[in-house]
Amino acid sequence: MAYYSTETATLVPIPTSGFSRWFPICLLDEKYIIINIMQLNFAYSPCPNDTYTYFGIMSGKIVLEDHKIEIHHHDIETLNKHAIAGTYEITKMSFFTWLKLKDKYGLLRAGNSLGFGCGPILISKKKEIKASDLPFLRIVLPGELTTANLLFSLYSPRSKHKSYVQYDQIFNEMNSRRADCGVVIHESRFLYEKEGFYKVCDLGVWWEETAKVPIPLGAVGIRSDLLKELDGKIEGLIKQSLDLSKSSPQIAMPYIKKMAIEMEDQVIDRHIKTFVNSFTYDLGDKGMEAINKLEEMARSAGIIQ
């Protein structure tokens, strides 16, 4: 960022429509010189794949000239709600939510969560649950706006007895017998067997077999009222941040562990390896094909208009 090295420099926030600008004001030869610094708010989840990907930006080791980036952490459903409200200039959100907000948020090609073998998993306390049973059972999901909910709705369209809690409360809802089945995401994918649950269906595998493309989970949106030239700059920033964590994971790990709900090294490592891949670096043609397929199926099912 462009700051003058002088004892008289101050930082003055001036609100504008849509976002804040910060102006370093410096007294030079008895005249004030103003340099335009844009503040950008960037929101993502505290999950290991996000904190790994964005550590460089959060730590200030990777910076964007003439910009001040403020970091905000929320669970995925809270991020989705903030996206609907347009709270943050740059934000992670579920692809299900992004499909509804395409006119408000552009899609960055870097930082997204897509892949194979990383989808939500439908679980139960009982072994013998079948797909035909699901319409008669109570299903708890990690948010109405999540891609997990979209995928389950595509898989079991007749299921209407649904409730929603934060993703890390799914096990509690089922153990309290308030739900018969649950859809788990994030680190819960790696812990459900240890917690005494059984897999009913891997919705990621079902998607891959049905759609023949990777599964789009989390999108990085940039608000459409920002200058279009920012897209490439932010994408470059994300790629640099990702490169830093790949080359020096040890410096990112304290931050990753601090933010993670599940602290075990093995779970964190599996989480990062599962959700951080080539699609995180760049969507590519295959990634865009997967997103288009998700939208096509959601529209065909009448889930989005």
Side-chain angles (χ1 to χ4, degrees), residues 38-288:
M38 180 186 290
Q39 176 172 309
L40 295 171
N41 293 283
F42 186 8
Y44 53 83
S45 82
C47 294
N49 60 303
D50 279 354
T51 49
Y52 176 92
T53 300
Y54 306 121
F55 165 74
I57 299 172
M58 182 284 306
S59 64
K61 296 181 183 297
I62 305 296
V63 298
L64 185 61
E65 185 179 0
D66 296 340
H67 291 77
K68 181 180 188 293
I69 298 180
E70 290 286 339
I71 300 299
H72 306 267
H73 301 101
H74 300 290
D75 73 276
I76 187 59
E77 185 68 346
T78 301
L79 288 171
N80 291 333
K81 292 175 181 177
H82 276 299
I84 289 174
T87 305
Y88 303 116
E89 289 81 33
I90 308 163
T91 184
K92 197 80 179 279
M93 68 184 87
S94 298
F95 265 108
F96 183 24
T97 297
W98 180 77
L99 290 175
K100 299 179 177 184
L101 299 178
K102 292 168 66 174
D103 59 330
K104 295 182 180 179
Y105 279 91
L107 179 65
L108 295 180
R109 294 184 66 89
N112 300 281
S113 300
L114 293 85
F116 296 98
C118 59
I121 297 176
L122 177 65
I123 63 171
S124 173
K125 273 286 190 182
K126 299 179 180 179
K127 286 184 178 181
E128 63 275 10
I129 299 295
K130 303 184 295 295
S132 58
D133 298 325
L134 295 176
F136 310 100
L137 301 178
R138 298 165 300 165
I139 315 295
V140 61
L141 296 113
E144 189 172 6
L145 299 166
T146 61
T147 307
N149 185 36
L150 172 56
L151 289 171
F152 178 75
S153 298
L154 291 171
Y155 174 72
S156 183
R158 293 195 301 123
S159 291
K160 305 300 180 184
H161 306 296
K162 299 194 288 186
S163 60
Y164 307 97
V165 297
Q166 188 167 302
Y167 81 93
D168 59 342
Q169 296 301 309
I170 298 287
F171 292 159
N172 290 340
E173 288 295 295
M174 297 178 67
N175 283 328
S176 299
R177 301 185 184 280
R178 289 188 289 268
D180 304 301
C181 295
V183 176
V184 292
I185 59 174
H186 301 327
E187 58 267 36
S188 299
R189 296 179 75 262
F190 311 114
L191 299 172
Y192 70 89
E193 291 177 310
K194 178 182 175 183
E195 296 294 325
F197 298 100
Y198 299 96
K199 178 172 64 179
V200 177
C201 176
D202 186 322
L203 295 175
V205 172
W206 171 81
W207 166 264
E208 292 164 23
E209 292 176 347
T210 302
K212 312 300 182 186
V213 289
I215 181 169
L217 296 170
V220 183
I222 183 165
R223 225 169 51 199
S224 300
D225 61 343
L226 299 179
L227 295 175
K228 190 64 179 175
E229 65 188 43
L230 267 177
D231 291 15
K233 292 180 179 180
I234 299 299
E235 288 168 349
L237 199 71
I238 292 171
K239 289 179 180 180
Q240 289 179 59
S241 181
L242 190 55
D243 286 339
L244 176 64
S245 290
K246 285 182 177 180
S247 63
S248 304
Q250 70 281 357
I251 66 172
M253 197 52 64
Y255 167 58
I256 294 170
K257 286 187 173 183
K258 178 182 177 182
M259 301 306 299
I261 290 178
E262 176 54 52
M263 297 287 290
E264 290 183 19
D265 289 347
Q266 183 180 8
V267 174
I268 290 175
D269 185 61
R270 286 183 66 191
H271 190 120
I272 293 170
K273 288 180 177 177
T274 299
F275 292 101
V276 179
N277 51 44
S278 61
F279 294 111
T280 314
Y281 201 79
D282 192 293
L283 284 173
D285 293 340
K286 198 68 176 178
M288 291 306 302

